[in-house]
Amino acid sequence: MNFEQRLEEIRKRFRARASSEAMQFEGDWKHYLDGSPAAAAAIRERAHAIAGTAATLQFDAIAEAAKNLEDAIGQSADAERIGACIAVLMACLRAVATSE
């Protein structure tokens, strides 16, 4: 298997788990709104990991959305901005999950 084939296989696995990643962000967001002190850190860590992986795999919209969310959490943005960033990221993840 050459490099391009391996990269496409990794991209396929990323697409396969993108929907579950979106659901995890949704759950973390609910915990954040409930006042969980660990939720912001969990969201930021997950967003950071997704941003890096998505950028490497050339899922640019996901990488940008994840970076925006990571920045919003890091800047202690208000819940409205964080919620908007999560919504965009979840939409991007769900879109890539249904694409081929």
Side-chain angles (χ1 to χ4, degrees):
M1 186 179 297
N2 68 31
F3 175 76
E4 289 300 321
Q5 290 169 322
R6 287 184 48 82
L7 182 60
E8 188 51 42
E9 185 61 34
I10 295 168
R11 288 171 57 86
K12 188 183 294 186
R13 286 194 302 254
F14 183 89
R15 281 195 288 282
R17 72 172 207 267
S19 183
S20 66
E21 289 287 349
M23 289 189 298
Q24 288 180 4
F25 276 110
E26 187 173 29
D28 287 343
W29 177 235
K30 288 178 183 174
H31 291 296
Y32 179 89
L33 292 175
D34 289 341
S36 169
I43 292 169
R44 188 171 187 202
E45 288 173 21
R46 182 170 285 115
H48 179 78
I50 292 286
T53 302
T56 300
L57 298 175
Q58 300 173 332
F59 290 113
D60 297 333
I62 293 172
E64 181 179 349
K67 181 66 174 137
N68 288 341
L69 174 56
E70 181 184 8
D71 290 347
I73 292 280
Q75 297 165 359
S76 300
D78 60 40
E80 185 175 335
R81 179 170 171 223
I82 294 169
C85 290
I86 286 179
V88 169
L89 178 55
M90 287 174 39
C92 290
L93 286 165
R94 288 182 173 134
V96 82
T98 60
S99 69
E100 284 288 328

